[in-house]
Amino acid sequence: MQDWMIVLIIIGVILLLPVGWFISTMNTLKRKEVKVEEAESGIDVALTKRFDALSKLVQTVKGYAKHEAETFEKVVKWRAGLPKELSLEQKQEFMGRMNEVQSGINVAVEAYPDLKAEKVFVNLQNSINNVEEHLQAARRVYNSNVSTLNQRIVTFPTSIVAGMIGMTRKKFFEADEAKKSDVEISF
Amino acid sequence: MNDKLSYYQDKKARSEKFILIGGAVALLGVLSLFIAASTLPGGFEVLIVVILIGLIFVGVGFAQFSSVVKKFKNDYLKEMISEWIEDGYYDPKRGLSPAQVYHCEFLKKADRFHSEDLLTGKIDGVRFEASDIQLQERRQRQTKNGTQTYYVTYFKGQMYVFDFNKDFEGFLQVLENQRPQSRRKYDRVKLESIEFNKKFNTYSTNQHTAFYILTPQFQERLMAIERAHPGKIGFSFIDNQLHMAINNNKSNFTIHLFRRIDEALIKAFKEDLQVIYNIIDELKINKRIFKEA
């Protein structure tokens, strides 16, 4: 093989290496971004389930917790499911509103021991606990994936690729302080 | 001490006497063989007979001891456990089946499998099964006399299977310095707690399930269980069940030679059972707040 050919191959390899690294890093970042998006849709599913479970509970207790039923009506516009364009902040707000309704119901039914003992009510409450656990899990999965992606985005040299493809740090889905603890029946 | 315990203790003490007397006679025979056999006419043959008689006594003693232990476990302990635990069932001869044990997917298949002291029942509404497990691997080594096969124990301890209080999809394993022993596609999951990630390796086929089961509080409880139980511990969450295995080189419900069958022994057995109560209580799997009543 001619010397000039060897030099050409070496130059080619030297040029191709960064290109290969760039493509591979870009793909890794994109894959992680897709995982974040998947996790966000997991939150949407969990929020919708929680909304449905809360609707059933409100129907059951509306005779006992009128104020909470009215509060719930205000979020009923999302009965058909969460709009796709809803921002993370709006989702957090939606979750907060549902928490308010739930807490209000918990306090309101405190005065009705018969209702609390009803099997239908207990099952509904358990179903809400379960949906809440799923929602918290979805939130944590999302935050875990965001954390992994953000670490890549800010760490050199991956940060160069992230900057070139316009990828920026994602926001975390903040938890309502009260919901960070284990789900417990509070009445 | 109650009459039943005294009955077993008397029988056990008699078997121990046989072992002691037989052992002493055999030992005396062996010592005499070295010291005085040449000075006695026909002494060698006499001493061999003495040793044999001693060994027969030891053999009879061990047979009696084994029989007393079996009877005690089959009759007394079985009855006690059915009184202590709701739907309690105990079988000293049986244990969890190989299929049940390997279902946890973190114990590799053994060349020699042994399980005993099967215990099943319900505590605070939680169904459970437990047994002692011993798993051994066959190995070979070359000696001047050819190839020698021997067995090495890689797991000796207890396995517990509990009904879990959450329904979930997928498979989850929380292991101490181990990997899943399955062809299933498990991915490593990193949780928020650095301490938990240091202590355990978490693998799951479904990231959501891992976070759903392993809430921050549940992670704390698993670490508390690990601290309370010496030995290598593993948890797996499969088919809405929690499998827990402790490799601690111990056996439950063991009766030793020269240890009395009395209230203290019964207390020790209750402590063996206490592990099950502790796990249910500590992990709060008795809280049925996620399933329909």
Side-chain angles (χ1 to χ4, degrees):
Chain A
M1 195 184 280
Q2 301 283 331
D3 286 352
W4 64 269
M5 278 181 79
I6 295 169
V7 172
L8 209 65
I9 288 168
I10 291 171
I11 292 170
V13 168
I14 290 171
L15 285 176
L16 275 177
L17 269 177
V19 175
W21 171 79
F22 180 87
I23 292 169
S24 144
T25 309
M26 186 177 72
N27 285 340
T28 305
L29 286 171
K30 290 279 182 196
R31 269 197 297 274
K32 301 233 173 271
E33 193 176 37
V34 168
K35 282 196 89 175
V36 169
E37 283 162 8
E38 282 173 1
E40 192 175 346
S41 62
I43 291 178
D44 293 351
V45 171
L47 275 173
T48 308
K49 278 186 181 170
R50 182 154 191 237
F51 179 80
D52 293 343
L54 199 56
S55 303
K56 285 181 193 163
L57 186 69
V58 168
Q59 286 304 313
T60 310
V61 302
K62 64 181 174 189
Y64 307 88
K66 285 195 181 99
H67 173 70
E68 282 66 35
E70 282 164 16
T71 312
F72 187 71
E73 286 304 313
K74 291 174 192 165
V75 288
V76 116
K77 61 181 177 182
W78 288 322
R79 191 194 295 274
L82 290 176
K84 285 210 172 2
E85 68 277 9
L86 219 57
S87 69
L88 208 58
E89 287 80 7
Q90 284 173 308
K91 286 174 194 170
Q92 280 169 30
E93 189 202 330
F94 180 55
M95 191 169 86
R97 294 279 282 280
M98 285 197 288
N99 289 345
E100 274 175 40
V101 174
Q102 175 73 61
S103 307
I105 291 173
N106 291 350
V107 174
V109 298
E110 199 49 47
Y112 304 98
D114 291 349
L115 174 68
K116 278 161 48 181
E118 264 183 40
K119 197 177 174 186
V120 176
F121 184 78
V122 172
N123 280 342
L124 267 173
Q125 193 59 47
N126 287 357
S127 157
I128 284 186
N129 287 339
N130 193 36
V131 169
E132 179 59 35
E133 286 280 278
H134 276 293
L135 178 55
Q136 291 307 321
R139 183 186 65 77
R140 288 167 58 225
V141 168
Y142 173 82
N143 285 346
S144 166
N145 288 326
V146 165
S147 171
T148 310
L149 179 64
N150 285 352
Q151 280 173 39
R152 292 285 182 115
I153 287 173
V154 298
T155 313
F156 183 81
T158 325
S159 54
I160 300 170
V161 182
M164 286 172 82
I165 60 173
M167 198 177 273
T168 53
R169 292 172 66 177
K170 306 277 179 198
K171 283 181 184 166
F172 287 98
F173 193 95
E174 299 298 338
D176 180 348
E177 282 304 312
K179 292 290 170 190
K180 279 183 180 171
S181 58
D182 253 5
V183 174
E184 293 281 351
I185 294 177
S186 50
F187 44 82
Chain B
M1 186 161 57
N2 72 43
D3 291 345
K4 276 189 179 174
L5 287 182
S6 305
Y7 166 79
Y8 290 109
Q9 172 54 29
D10 290 348
K11 285 204 147 203
K12 185 170 158 289
R14 202 182 316 154
S15 71
E16 286 163 352
K17 262 183 205 160
F18 265 88
I19 294 168
L20 275 178
I21 293 168
V25 169
L27 190 68
L28 208 66
V30 171
L31 287 175
S32 308
L33 201 63
F34 284 109
I35 299 163
S38 53
T39 60
L40 294 169
F44 183 79
E45 289 78 8
V46 171
L47 290 175
I48 289 293
V49 171
V50 168
I51 292 169
L52 281 176
I53 290 170
L55 289 179
I56 287 168
F57 264 69
V58 171
V60 170
F62 272 111
Q64 283 182 353
F65 174 76
S66 166
S67 161
V68 173
V69 168
K70 265 185 203 162
K71 203 167 161 46
F72 174 77
K73 283 186 164 186
N74 267 322
D75 300 343
Y76 187 83
L77 198 55
K78 210 171 193 170
E79 196 186 318
M80 282 292 103
I81 283 171
S82 67
E83 280 175 22
W84 292 336
I85 298 171
E86 186 187 345
D87 295 342
Y89 172 78
Y90 171 69
D91 189 337
K93 280 178 274 179
R94 282 176 57 210
L96 292 172
S97 69
Q100 282 175 298
V101 170
Y102 300 136
H103 190 55
C104 74
E105 298 196 352
F106 63 81
L107 290 175
K108 68 175 178 183
K109 290 205 167 109
D111 294 312
R112 244 187 211 171
F113 178 96
H114 178 76
S115 66
E116 61 182 17
D117 289 321
L118 178 72
L119 186 63
T120 66
K122 202 174 176 183
I123 293 175
D124 218 354
V126 180
R127 290 219 155 269
F128 72 90
E129 287 183 85
S131 86
D132 284 346
I133 306 286
Q134 186 170 2
L135 304 175
Q136 291 180 311
E137 184 178 63
R138 185 174 49 236
R139 288 193 193 162
Q140 287 187 324
R141 65 178 157 219
Q142 298 300 324
T143 64
K144 58 184 176 185
N145 298 324
T147 307
Q148 193 184 23
T149 304
Y150 63 104
Y151 289 86
V152 174
T153 302
Y154 62 87
F155 183 94
K156 187 181 177 190
Q158 291 74 46
M159 172 165 271
Y160 304 92
V161 183
F162 299 94
D163 278 354
F164 198 58
N165 62 339
K166 283 178 173 177
D167 290 333
F168 54 87
E169 287 172 9
F171 301 79
L172 170 67
Q173 308 222 7
V174 178
L175 309 172
E176 245 186 314
N177 305 319
Q178 266 181 286
R179 291 180 62 80
Q181 299 289 326
S182 162
R183 286 186 185 163
R184 212 180 296 284
K185 199 186 169 302
Y186 279 99
D187 289 320
R188 185 88 186 261
V189 178
K190 287 274 178 192
L191 293 143
E192 302 94 331
S193 164
I194 295 166
E195 203 189 339
F196 186 84
N197 290 334
K198 265 188 197 168
K199 176 56 69 186
F200 295 112
N201 298 333
T202 308
Y203 300 90
S204 182
T205 58
N206 182 326
Q207 196 186 14
H208 179 86
T209 295
F211 281 83
Y212 172 61
I213 293 172
L214 302 172
T215 64
Q217 291 72 27
F218 200 79
Q219 291 172 47
E220 288 290 329
R221 292 172 202 152
L222 289 183
M223 285 199 285
I225 293 271
E226 190 278 329
R227 281 193 293 271
H229 299 95
K232 205 165 157 185
I233 205 162
F235 304 91
S236 74
F237 300 82
I238 294 174
D239 293 340
N240 299 326
Q241 285 185 319
L242 160 62
H243 300 248
M244 174 181 155
I246 312 175
N247 191 357
N248 54 9
N249 202 29
K250 275 172 65 181
S251 299
N252 277 344
F253 310 122
T254 309
I255 299 170
H256 297 284
L257 261 178
F258 308 115
R259 185 180 169 182
R260 289 178 65 81
I261 295 181
D262 55 11
E263 296 295 347
L265 183 76
I266 300 301
K267 198 175 160 211
F269 286 170
K270 279 188 175 171
E271 277 165 19
D272 287 341
L273 284 178
Q274 195 58 41
V275 175
I276 300 171
Y277 284 90
N278 289 348
I279 294 163
I280 291 173
D281 190 48
E282 183 72 51
L283 297 182
K284 297 192 193 306
I285 50 180
N286 50 350
K287 291 209 169 216
R288 318 296 286 183
I289 58 168
F290 305 107
K291 289 184 176 183
E292 288 201 352

